[in-house]
Amino acid sequence: MSETITDVVCSFCGCLCDDIGVIVEDGCVKDTINACRISHAKFTEFNNGSRIEEPMIKADGELKPAPLEEAIEKSADILKGSKYPLAYGWSSTACEAQKIGIAIAEELGGIVDNTTTVCHGPSVLAEQGVGYSGCTLGEVKNRADLIIYWGCNPMHAHPRHLGRYTMYPRGFFRDSGERDRNLVVVDIRKTDTAKLADHFIQVEPNQDYELLASIRVLLNGGEIPEEVAGVSSGDIEKLAEMMKNCNYGALFFGLGLTMSKGKYMNIDNAISLVEDLNDYTKFVIMPMRGHYNVAGANTVSNWETGFPYSVDFSRGYPRYAPGETSAADVLMNGEVDSALIVASDPASHMPRKALEHLRNIPVISVEPHMSPTAEISDVVIPSAVVGIEAEGTAYRMDHVPIRLRKILDPPSGILSDEEILEMLFRKIRGE
Ligand code: SF4
């Protein structure tokens, strides 16, 4: 007997598409409606062979099954016994779990950091420096007639972004959809998104800052050389005119801008360009957030500590110094002496030197699937998949909070991240 559940939210990328249909048969997801290929794979394959079935504790170099209470007790002992623990991950779980993670780090006098530190950290730094002109994705859908993707490839990373929010939907003031809009892509290569663009501008690698600056020079009445960052002055002038003359422009940027040479100064310059454009028309800017709740991790961290990521509690109050208190730095400098990793796989994305230290300290993983980080952990606690087996709140890339639904029961004995962390917090406090 099959059942179709509608209005399910996809907990994969920062688009948080909330129109997914899920067809459930015998307690398994058999098919999906409206899901992109990534989302379809998540819903239909999340329960495949890599699922961790029970808690495990490492003994004699091998992870062995253990009761949940024992795994929680062992985790609490590790964290309480360390001088400077790190609590890292958080971007692929719900806000309710993130909040407890921050409380644990505060209780222990450790560091809490989320994956922003290795993706849009520079964007957050720039936003703190110069502010930014933002909006919701609904506004873009209803109003924007010029869409610019700079240093990102949503056709692969956020497959429904163009279809749901930017180029293709019919909007209140854009009732012909695509025919009412122009798409510009700026990137170092002709990506699949660039192939759809009305105008593709190929910038030389690591010269985005110069290209942004040259558009600003034109907007401010100056002159530019014949070529900047591999782009002819004619093309830059055309782009500047297109930007000035649109009714509502939206610039979306990705790691091609945050993680290339210039880093947060690139974003500072992009935000300043948008500020300049607002002398002529309405223009907004938005980072393409990757993990489905990385925006929530920043928001919850801001509420609780005043800072969005890389928060250090070792002095008894929250301190924020990215580059010093970031997860990668405290690992590479060998400063932290244990790690609680929740909903993340730093062993797959941190620099090698950070990973070498992670291998040498006790690690606790709370994670539904076996991952390289789980494999090097001393304690592994499996959790329910948020948005499928557990409900919770997540923030879309435009900071709109969306409630994730529970559509299936988790395997017997498997709790949500929130429940596991609550148990751990109580054990640490000796309650
Ligand atoms: S675009 Fe992102 S949120 Fe939307 S269905 Fe695809 S993976 Fe899920």
Side-chain angles (χ1 to χ4, degrees):
M1 167 110 166
S2 87
E3 181 195 1
T4 303
I5 307 170
T6 54
D7 302 324
V8 177
V9 180
C10 169
S11 56
F12 189 86
C13 82
C15 289
L16 280 180
C17 299
D18 56 2
D19 61 345
I20 309 292
V22 175
I23 297 156
V24 177
E25 221 175 281
D26 302 325
C28 296
V29 176
K30 289 289 172 207
D31 208 351
T32 55
I33 303 164
N34 291 339
C36 69
R37 60 194 180 281
I38 305 175
S39 172
H40 178 80
K42 172 156 185 174
F43 278 109
T44 53
E45 293 172 27
F46 78 96
N47 224 351
N48 64 13
S50 69
R51 197 73 193 266
I52 308 167
E53 287 167 1
E54 52 198 333
M56 293 182 282
I57 296 177
K58 198 166 266 176
D60 303 325
E62 239 183 86
L63 283 168
K64 300 199 173 130
L68 177 63
E69 290 68 23
E70 210 178 296
I72 295 280
E73 191 156 346
K74 175 83 179 164
S75 306
D77 287 346
I78 290 173
L79 293 170
K80 279 198 298 186
S82 57
K83 287 197 178 106
Y84 197 27
L86 167 70
Y88 177 76
W90 310 110
S91 303
S92 291
T93 189
C95 295
E96 292 80 355
Q98 293 165 350
K99 186 177 169 191
I100 305 171
I102 292 167
I104 289 175
E106 184 173 17
E107 179 73 23
L108 296 165
I111 282 195
V112 61
D113 199 3
N114 57 66
T115 58
T116 303
T117 190
V118 289
C119 59
H120 275 284
S123 313
V124 175
L125 289 178
E127 287 165 12
Q128 288 170 330
V130 288
Y132 75 110
S133 162
C135 66
T136 64
L137 288 168
E139 261 187 80
V140 174
K141 172 185 165 182
N142 285 317
R143 295 174 184 275
D145 60 342
L146 176 61
I147 307 293
I148 300 176
Y149 287 109
W150 196 309
C152 55
N153 184 11
M155 284 307 290
H156 285 233
H158 303 81
R160 296 186 72 210
H161 198 265
L162 284 93
R164 250 174 87 77
Y165 304 117
T166 61
M167 267 312 282
Y168 302 116
R170 291 172 193 271
F172 193 82
F173 298 105
R174 300 284 163 244
D175 55 6
S176 295
E178 182 191 1
R179 275 175 289 147
D180 279 347
R181 312 185 202 257
N182 268 313
L183 176 61
V184 175
V185 172
V186 184
D187 216 323
I188 59 167
R189 64 178 72 84
K190 192 158 189 177
T191 62
D192 282 339
T193 308
K195 287 176 195 159
L196 300 172
D198 300 298
H199 304 276
F200 168 53
I201 294 177
Q202 190 158 5
V203 57
E204 285 289 327
N206 291 315
Q207 292 188 22
D208 300 86
Y209 186 93
E210 288 82 345
L211 184 55
L212 288 161
S214 66
I215 305 170
R216 292 188 64 203
V217 167
L218 291 174
L219 294 178
N220 287 288
E223 288 178 8
I224 58 171
E226 268 177 30
E227 190 186 290
V228 178
V231 185
S232 72
S233 58
D235 283 349
I236 300 172
E237 278 159 15
K238 247 188 257 163
L239 177 60
E241 284 304 308
M242 209 187 296
M243 287 170 149
K244 270 162 61 175
N245 294 319
C246 71
N247 287 322
Y248 189 115
L251 195 165
F252 296 93
F253 64 93
L255 300 197
L257 208 54
T258 67
M259 287 297 169
S260 57
K261 200 171 167 191
K263 294 208 170 181
Y264 77 95
M265 289 308 295
N266 292 339
I267 314 306
D268 182 307
N269 215 5
I271 292 172
S272 302
L273 165 64
V274 167
E275 197 182 314
D276 292 347
L277 284 163
N278 275 284
D279 287 344
Y280 297 91
T281 184
K282 173 73 181 165
F283 228 98
V284 294
I285 183 165
M286 192 182 298
M288 298 288 284
R289 304 309 299 269
H291 294 98
Y292 73 85
N293 199 23
V294 65
N298 297 147
T299 304
V300 174
S301 187
N302 270 328
W303 287 339
E304 298 291 321
T305 71
F307 304 112
Y309 64 101
S310 301
V311 182
D312 169 38
F313 288 104
S314 64
R315 296 187 189 170
Y317 55 86
R319 204 168 64 91
Y320 168 69
E324 183 192 328
T325 59
S326 322
D329 296 279
V330 291
L331 283 168
M332 287 195 293
N333 294 334
E335 292 171 32
V336 286
D337 55 354
S338 72
L340 167 66
I341 310 292
V342 179
S344 184
D345 185 16
S348 298
H349 63 243
M350 282 276 178
R352 201 190 68 182
K353 205 170 161 210
L355 178 56
E356 278 167 11
H357 186 64
L358 196 65
R359 288 175 68 97
N360 290 329
I361 58 175
V363 176
I364 301 139
S365 274
V366 180
E367 165 69 43
H369 298 102
M370 209 58 200
S371 63
T373 304
E375 277 175 22
I376 62 163
S377 296
D378 298 82
V379 183
V380 178
I381 304 177
S383 58
V385 178
V386 182
I388 300 180
E389 298 170 336
E391 59 178 8
T393 306
Y395 278 70
R396 210 166 60 182
M397 65 169 73
D398 55 352
H399 288 272
V400 171
I402 293 186
R403 190 75 186 157
L404 305 176
R405 295 175 62 186
K406 172 181 171 177
I407 54 167
L408 293 176
D409 286 327
S412 163
I414 304 282
L415 304 180
S416 66
D417 293 326
E418 184 186 356
E419 290 166 318
I420 293 164
L421 292 165
E422 186 66 46
M423 285 174 78
L424 180 59
F425 186 46
R426 287 181 186 284
K427 188 58 83 181
I428 289 168
R429 287 170 66 100
E431 290 174 2

